[in-house]
Amino acid sequence: MVLAKRPAATEGTLRSWMLQGLQTDRRQIEHGPHVKHPWWRVMCLTGVDYFSTLGYQPGIAALAAGLLSPLATLFLVALTLLGALPVYRRVAVESPYGQGSIAMLEKLAPQWWGKLFVLALLGFAATDFVITMTLSAADATAHILENPFWPEALAGQRVLVTLVLLAALGGVFLLGFTEAIGIAVLLVFVYLALNAVVVAVSIVHVLEAPQVVVDWQRALSLDFSSPLAMIGLSLLVMPKLALGMSGFETGVAVMPVVKGDIPERIKGTRRLLTTAALIMSVFLIFSSFVTTVLIPHAEFEEGGKANGRALAYLAHGYLGDWFGTAYDVSTIAILWFAGASAMAGLINLVPRYLPRYGMAPEWTGAVRPLVMVFSAIAFAITIIFDADVDAQGGAYATGVLVLMLSAAVAVTLSARRKRQHAATAGFAVISAVLAYTLVDNVIERPDGVKIASFFIAAVVVTSLISRATRSTELRVTAVHLDPLAEEFVNDACGDIHVIANEPNTRDQAEYNDKLRETWLNHRLRSVEPVLFVEVSVPDASEFETELHVKGEERYGHKILTIESSAVPNSLAALLLYLRDRTGSVPHIYFHWTEGNPVVAMLRYLVFGGGDVPPLTREVLRQAEPDLERRPHVHVG
């Protein structure tokens, strides 16, 4: 029997339009859409985020590492293939429903600590996805403004153009965005094909003019004393290139979209992750090399024609403005669609965690309200950072690296728990390398932590406020009785009288004293049959729950025992269930709680107990507006 109510939309109203498609089925949220796709098509859905970084990654690498960009990129590729890839292949096995590393770590910390830990990780995830939207839109703007066919009158309006792109992105979702894998497949194939042409033509130019390589080698020998110095400095600057590792968390998040049963889904996802990593690694190595040796370093600087668009610079220079414009259009499209992928990630991530914790209103299960919230945040970040790709790179890298580090730690602990010693040691090394990369990135670009801290604080504060405001909801989705409890309920006839008891010693004296107290305080006749009900709270941090009611007979008394996250809500749900089951409005009996009511309310919010009688009555009042059908609460 389902009890908890969901927000109802009124037909033909703005509320109805906003709540259209509201996701309330937790199992559907976990298992994903009904329509599934082959792994290579799903790879393209994640690839619009992962592969689109080619639009700005070579330029950022050149600015960060200079002449050492190819070597630093080589180390980044090694970290991707030997670190991030094995980690997320393991995550795919551990979380086949797309929960990702966050859900793996959620189980490690108990009760409220686990929830707060997840909220912090969600803050970093929000940083990753939102900055993906703003950074991708900003880089798409750079390609638009630098195109020779763009009107001169609109030159320099990068903030305005970026805001228009973000508004268009939000508009698409408000109109009703579906998982457009077909569009993603087309964009990825076209974009990778054009990049392959640009890189191949650039390599041909390098082969035809080997002097550029000689000049690059001479410059390296002049600037660095030895190969060891080059390697050391490359390792130091490599964390600044961490943008080239984005997309792995998205890869496991979309697992429910992969066709097949659980083993096939895992196999397909691991193949997806491996293929994407290999393709990206090849492009990163060659693009970093050709852009470093063929583009003057000054062009990578702020205001330079290669700033944020290094491969586009080569496309226009070697293949002409018409091909360059086609490349720009393709890049703009995939960067814009990368924002769509990030938005889709957000609107799938939030309903999976926050409503389940009671830390977000139920309307967050609908797409349109979330789109408006995240679009507003993206607008603010774009204005604050002046739509600058380089300025947002630190925040993006921080979000990516925190999620990767959390995944590495999760699989390390998983391997240790299963006593897989070699895997534990390997994943521990990967965790250490990712930790170094994260720390170095934070020290070099603290803006990322500042933005992530803002997101974490916003998520935690709004979540706790939401949890407090929703605390008196029914919160129980179903009630199940064991055979003995069924017998107790079936034996009840006429009015049902329930005595709420806080279990202590549970001896004969406790139940006899409680029964005598109820007779005296409430003038309950001794011939009236009664049921004791006892609720224990093993984990008050949970929100929605199913009640499993067990019957027990002790010293001649019939007792119903329940484990739940909140005493008042569970008692209210049980009373409503008994009313609907028997057709008789039940009575429940309490004694007044001693102590400060404010402290009692805090105990209720944190520990699930508190001032139980008035809270039980308030839950019932909200759940059942009809006074004649509302269970009776007696306090004495």
Side-chain angles (χ1 to χ4, degrees):
M1 173 185 177
V2 177
L3 295 172
K5 293 180 172 60
R6 304 298 184 191
T10 305
E11 290 296 330
T13 64
L14 177 62
R15 177 182 174 84
S16 174
W17 182 77
M18 289 293 289
L19 293 181
Q20 184 178 1
L22 180 68
Q23 300 180 67
T24 57
D25 186 347
R26 293 283 176 258
R27 292 183 179 179
Q28 181 60 32
I29 292 172
E30 293 297 329
H31 289 269
H34 297 294
V35 179
K36 310 293 184 182
H37 300 271
W39 68 267
W40 62 270
R41 290 175 65 86
V42 181
M43 182 191 72
C44 293
L45 181 64
T46 64
V48 292
D49 175 17
Y50 191 23
F51 299 140
S52 68
T53 58
L54 285 170
Y56 47 81
Q57 172 70 14
I60 289 178
L63 280 176
L67 296 172
L68 293 174
S69 174
L71 187 56
T73 300
L74 199 59
F75 287 126
L76 179 73
V77 167
L79 180 58
T80 298
L81 298 179
L82 303 179
L85 180 58
V87 164
Y88 278 96
R89 283 172 60 90
R90 176 84 178 224
V91 171
V93 176
E94 300 279 348
S95 60
Y97 296 107
Q99 308 98 318
S101 58
I102 294 178
M104 293 175 63
L105 291 171
E106 179 185 11
K107 303 172 184 176
L108 300 178
Q111 303 188 4
W112 282 109
W113 292 113
K115 302 296 185 295
L116 293 173
F117 183 59
V118 168
L119 291 180
L121 288 179
L122 288 176
F124 283 108
T127 304
D128 182 7
F129 286 124
V130 171
I131 298 297
T132 296
M133 293 163 52
T134 58
L135 187 146
S136 297
D139 194 56
T141 298
H143 285 78
I144 292 172
L145 297 182
E146 291 295 335
N147 188 275
F149 299 114
W150 182 254
E152 287 291 334
L154 295 176
Q157 299 295 326
R158 68 181 184 185
V159 174
L160 177 62
V161 175
T162 303
L163 291 177
V164 169
L165 290 175
L166 290 171
L169 177 66
V172 169
F173 278 86
L174 290 176
L175 290 173
F177 180 85
T178 57
E179 216 163 33
I181 289 185
I183 298 174
V185 171
L186 177 63
L187 285 176
V188 166
F189 271 84
V190 171
Y191 183 68
L192 291 181
L194 292 176
N195 272 282
V197 171
V198 174
V199 171
V201 169
S202 300
I203 291 174
V204 170
H205 276 77
V206 171
L207 294 175
E208 291 176 346
Q211 186 61 37
V212 295
V213 178
V214 174
D215 293 340
W216 172 58
Q217 293 174 332
R218 183 181 299 114
L220 285 174
S221 62
L222 292 174
D223 291 347
F224 303 99
S225 58
S226 67
L228 285 178
M230 298 179 195
I231 293 173
L233 189 57
S234 296
L235 288 172
L236 288 175
V237 300
M238 184 265 291
K240 300 178 183 179
L241 281 60
L243 298 180
M245 294 198 299
S246 68
F248 281 97
E249 193 72 28
T250 310
V252 294
V254 298
M255 284 188 71
V257 186
V258 178
K259 182 182 292 186
D261 56 17
I262 296 301
E264 290 176 347
R265 180 187 299 175
I266 293 172
K267 184 178 179 180
T269 302
R270 298 181 75 179
R271 191 176 295 164
L272 174 161
L273 294 169
T274 303
T275 305
L278 290 172
I279 291 173
M280 190 63 176
S281 296
V282 171
F283 273 107
L284 284 176
I285 292 170
F286 284 105
S287 64
S288 175
F289 174 70
V290 296
T291 53
T292 301
V293 300
L294 293 175
I295 300 176
H297 187 74
E299 297 290 355
F300 292 113
E301 302 288 347
E302 178 71 24
K305 293 183 178 181
N307 182 256
R309 53 187 300 277
L311 289 175
Y313 177 93
L314 295 178
H316 282 274
Y318 294 135
L319 293 162
D321 287 338
W322 285 106
F323 183 92
T325 299
Y327 181 87
D328 284 337
V329 171
S330 172
T331 305
I332 293 164
I334 197 169
L335 285 167
W336 182 79
F337 211 74
S341 175
M343 180 73 85
L346 282 168
I347 62 181
N348 283 315
L349 191 66
V350 169
R352 186 166 288 175
Y353 288 99
L354 296 185
R356 176 162 60 89
Y357 294 169
M359 292 181 170
E362 281 290 346
W363 55 255
T364 55
V367 169
R368 288 182 176 124
L370 287 178
V371 169
M372 295 186 71
V373 170
F374 290 122
S375 294
I377 294 172
F379 280 16
I381 289 176
T382 296
I383 294 170
I384 291 171
F385 283 93
D386 196 32
D388 190 329
V389 174
D390 297 330
Q392 296 176 73
Y396 187 29
T398 299
V400 170
L401 289 171
V402 167
L403 292 180
M404 285 194 169
L405 177 58
S406 68
V409 171
V411 297
T412 301
L413 295 175
S414 172
R416 181 184 178 187
R417 196 163 51 245
K418 296 178 180 179
R419 298 188 177 182
Q420 298 170 339
H421 302 298
T424 301
F427 287 130
V429 171
I430 294 171
S431 300
V433 174
L434 288 171
Y436 155 73
T437 306
L438 172 62
V439 171
D440 185 83
N441 183 79
V442 168
I443 294 173
E444 182 70 25
R445 294 182 287 186
D447 283 345
V449 172
K450 294 176 183 177
I451 295 178
S453 299
F454 166 78
F455 275 105
I456 292 170
V459 168
V460 171
V461 171
T462 56
S463 296
L464 294 179
I465 292 173
S466 175
R467 179 68 180 249
T469 57
R470 296 186 61 193
S471 62
T472 53
E473 290 182 10
L474 195 58
R475 292 166 54 176
V476 173
T477 57
V479 178
H480 306 283
L481 275 62
D482 75 353
L484 187 55
E486 286 272 4
E487 181 181 325
F488 291 165
V489 173
N490 291 334
D491 290 344
C493 58
D495 290 340
I496 299 178
H497 301 277
V498 179
I499 299 175
N501 181 51
E502 184 175 356
N504 292 305
T505 58
R506 305 193 79 219
D507 57 10
Q508 186 171 9
E510 177 180 332
Y511 294 106
N512 289 342
D513 291 345
K514 189 71 177 180
L515 185 59
R516 187 179 303 108
E517 175 192 89
T518 305
W519 287 342
L520 293 173
N521 288 343
H522 303 288
R523 300 294 188 267
L524 186 65
R525 293 177 298 172
S526 59
V527 296
E528 293 279 5
V530 298
L531 291 172
F532 284 90
V533 61
E534 299 174 346
V535 182
S536 56
V537 182
D539 184 1
S541 67
E542 292 297 328
F543 190 73
E544 286 189 354
T545 185
E546 292 186 1
L547 293 188
H548 295 273
V549 184
K550 298 179 180 179
E552 185 177 352
E553 195 160 0
R554 295 175 69 89
Y555 312 109
H557 301 290
K558 296 178 178 180
I559 306 167
L560 300 177
T561 62
I562 302 170
E563 286 190 353
S564 178
S565 59
V567 177
N569 311 69
S570 302
L571 292 175
L574 177 64
L575 293 172
L576 292 171
Y577 175 84
L578 293 175
R579 178 203 65 185
D580 295 339
R581 174 75 178 267
T582 66
S584 176
V585 178
H587 299 255
I588 189 167
Y589 301 90
F590 297 96
H591 68 262
W592 283 112
T593 305
E594 301 291 335
N596 188 306
V598 176
V599 175
M601 176 57 74
L602 292 176
R603 289 208 333 264
Y604 167 60
L605 294 175
V606 178
F607 301 111
D611 198 359
V612 175
L615 286 167
T616 302
R617 193 262 177 191
E618 177 60 20
V619 175
L620 286 169
R621 186 189 68 81
Q622 292 187 23
E624 179 51 77
D626 187 346
L627 283 172
E628 294 184 359
R629 288 178 48 77
R630 186 185 301 163
H632 303 290
V633 177
H634 305 270
V635 190

